[in-house]
Amino acid sequence: GSESDREAIEPACVELDERGISWELKVLSAHRDPRGVAEYASTAALRGTRVLIAGAGMAAALPGVVASYTDLPVIGVPVQTKSLSGVDSLYSIVQMPKGYPVATMAIGGAANAGLMAAAILALSDPALAVRLDAWREALSASIPDAPADE
C-alpha cells in the first residue's frame, strides 16, 4: 500500500525464500497511483506471476483493486494501524463483492500469506509440494506430545 507497509509484508518474503520461491516486492498505492496498480496487476500474469500478495492498512483498498484487474489469486494482508489496530484494514479487505475474491489473512498475517502462496503454487509444482509437506511434517513434529492423562 505504501512504503510504510513494506516492513509488515516482509514476513511473506521470508516464507517464500525459505521455500525457494522467487518473488518481487513493489510498493503501489490504490489511492495515490491507481493507474500504476492497474498496469501492474493487469500485466502480472504476462510477467509469469502466479499469485499476488497485497498488504495495506486503513482503507486497505489495494488488495481489492488488484483483484479487480487480474484473474490471478490475490492474498490480502491487513496491516495493523494506529487508529483501529488493523480492524479497519481487515474489514476493508475481507468484504470484497462477489466476483473479486481476495483470500484474507489475519491482521499482520504476512507469514501466512507467504505460506498460502506456496500452497497455491504447490498445486502445479510437485517438487514444491514435497518441500511444503516436509516442512509441515517438521512443524508438527516440533510440537511436544501432550502429557498423558492419569
Side-chain angles (χ1 to χ4, degrees), residues 27-150:
V27 176
L28 298 165
S29 172
H31 296 108
R32 292 182 297 280
D33 185 17
R35 288 184 188 93
V37 172
E39 172 69 19
Y40 184 81
S42 65
T43 61
L46 297 173
R47 293 189 308 277
T49 300
R50 305 278 307 279
V51 179
L52 293 160
I53 299 172
M58 300 176 67
L62 183 63
V65 172
V66 167
S68 72
Y69 283 103
T70 186
D71 292 332
L72 295 172
V74 177
I75 302 168
V77 178
V79 173
Q80 188 162 7
T81 58
K82 292 178 184 173
S83 59
L84 296 172
S85 300
V87 174
D88 48 343
S89 311
L90 174 66
Y91 287 164
S92 294
I93 297 171
V94 81
Q95 292 294 340
M96 287 302 298
K98 181 178 180 178
Y100 300 95
V102 173
T104 308
M105 300 295 108
I107 297 166
N112 270 348
L115 291 168
M116 177 63 76
I120 292 168
L121 294 169
L123 293 171
S124 61
D125 183 338
L128 176 57
V130 168
R131 292 193 312 272
L132 192 56
D133 285 345
W135 176 81
R136 286 180 173 154
E137 286 179 22
L139 180 64
S140 294
S142 72
I143 300 170
D145 290 334
D149 290 338
E150 295 184 17

